[in-house]
Amino acid sequence: MAAQRITTRNARFQQWQAQLTNRNKRQRAGEFLVQGVRPVSQAVEHGWPVRALLFDESRQLTRWASGLLREVKAEKIAMAPELLAELGEKDKGVPEVVAVAEMPPDELTRIPVGPGFLGVLFDRPTSPGNIGAIVRSADSFGAHGLVVTGHAADVYDPKSVRASTGSLFALPVVRVPGQREVEAWLAAAAPEVTVVGTDERGSIDITEADLTGPVLLAVGNETTGLSTAWRERCDVLVRIPMTGSASSLNAASAASVVLYETARQRGFERRGFERRGFERRGFERRA
């Protein structure tokens, strides 16, 4: 297997290192780092373009890592273990493989819309970990896509990618500047969609809302909630019944509760059948 070797902190290494913390450099390069066995496996399984596979040149690789290097059409980089450890951001040890994946286009048409549509909108999130957690929940409960709006944390921040545990590669996630782009998309693709906002002062309990039709669930910023514009746009604002002393749930936790209730109302078996009817990856699977 022919592979380039990187044993010093050269320009390429520094570029990848900067992508761990610098959103602008990730965006300019159009790529991001994928760390961990499951996220890397999910990226490959769901057909994401992988630009490079960085591997530890000093160790005997497992069958999993050897298979990746043999089967995935990407540049292979044999890297000194201490350098790979920095890119893998592991507390202990050196990862076998870190992948460099290509960012998909931020186009709302990547999210399929149909009669059983279930989408999630996250308005101005500040925590990349919460983005990843919501991606994971949305994937788990059968959503067809996530829209991140406004000035927000980055979907491709390593914290977000890790928190999604690979679901980022199974669920279309699209970043848009604001409400205008979402409104145009809904008007063209799904005018019948009901926009359901979550709010601790919502007018009805989530269990009282009809979530069986096409729905876009709107979740607000972790501190301030939904913006005034999104609150006014929502067809209904729902609250999650709570009995403890806490006044509200973490944004990711609230989204998980609402997604679960939506899946429950639709019937898990029926929801699974409908979900298989959609193309959800946003990339064509490679041969």
Side-chain angles (χ1 to χ4, degrees):
M1 178 184 60
Q4 181 183 344
R5 296 178 73 246
I6 294 180
T7 57
T8 63
R9 304 173 69 85
N10 64 11
R12 292 200 77 188
F13 171 81
Q14 292 179 42
Q15 175 183 338
W16 289 323
Q17 185 186 44
Q19 289 175 16
L20 293 173
T21 56
N22 192 310
R23 176 180 188 159
N24 291 332
K25 291 190 177 181
R26 285 194 297 267
Q27 194 62 37
R28 283 197 294 269
E31 64 187 26
F32 62 103
L33 299 184
V34 185
Q35 308 153 327
V37 172
R38 179 171 173 76
V40 171
S41 297
Q42 288 288 92
V44 171
E45 179 181 340
H46 289 281
W48 277 56
V50 176
R51 292 182 176 178
L53 292 172
L54 321 178
F55 66 97
D56 182 356
E57 66 166 359
S58 68
R59 69 198 284 185
Q60 182 70 37
L61 296 177
T62 63
R63 183 166 59 179
W64 168 78
S66 298
L68 284 178
L69 295 172
R70 183 176 59 253
E71 297 170 9
V72 177
K73 295 179 180 178
E75 184 180 9
K76 313 303 191 303
I77 308 290
M79 186 167 285
E82 64 273 14
L83 300 180
L84 191 60
E86 288 189 47
L87 298 182
E89 296 185 305
K90 292 191 70 172
D91 294 334
K92 297 181 180 179
V94 180
E96 279 196 287
V97 176
V98 172
V100 181
E102 182 178 319
M103 289 183 187
D106 282 310
E107 297 173 354
L108 287 165
T109 53
R110 289 180 52 228
I111 300 176
V113 179
F117 174 70
L118 171 58
V120 183
L121 180 141
F122 201 174
D123 179 33
R124 301 165 296 122
T126 59
S127 165
N130 276 338
I131 295 176
I134 287 183
V135 171
R136 183 178 182 180
S137 294
D139 181 36
S140 298
F141 292 115
H144 300 104
L146 170 69
V147 182
V148 178
T149 65
H151 183 70
D154 188 17
V155 170
Y156 302 106
D157 184 292
K159 295 183 182 68
S160 173
V161 179
R162 287 195 299 267
S164 81
T165 65
S167 288
L168 176 65
F169 305 104
L171 184 83
V173 181
V174 179
R175 303 168 294 180
V176 298
Q179 186 173 351
R180 184 189 320 176
E181 291 78 9
V182 180
E183 293 282 21
W185 170 59
L186 290 178
E192 73 284 4
V193 165
T194 300
V195 181
V196 178
T198 58
D199 188 273
E200 61 185 89
R201 297 179 297 278
S203 57
I204 60 173
D205 286 351
I206 182 62
T207 54
E208 298 172 356
D210 182 1
L211 304 172
T212 57
V215 166
L216 179 66
L217 302 175
V219 179
N221 172 278
E222 295 92 335
T223 303
T224 60
L226 288 168
S227 67
T228 300
W230 272 116
R231 286 174 56 85
E232 292 175 351
R233 169 60 181 85
C234 288
D235 297 299
V236 59
L237 288 172
V238 299
R239 59 179 179 264
I240 297 171
M242 300 177 64
T243 58
S245 61
S247 62
S248 62
L249 292 173
N250 166 277
S253 298
S256 297
V257 171
V258 177
L259 281 162
Y260 175 85
E261 173 61 20
T262 305
R264 186 195 68 79
Q265 287 190 21
R266 297 178 176 206
F268 287 96
E269 293 300 323
R270 181 170 63 86
R271 185 265 306 168
F273 174 80
E274 289 174 349
R275 175 175 169 177
R276 288 193 293 273
F278 288 104
E279 171 58 57
R280 303 170 62 247
R281 291 188 300 272
F283 279 124
E284 290 297 325
R285 183 182 295 275
R286 288 179 171 182

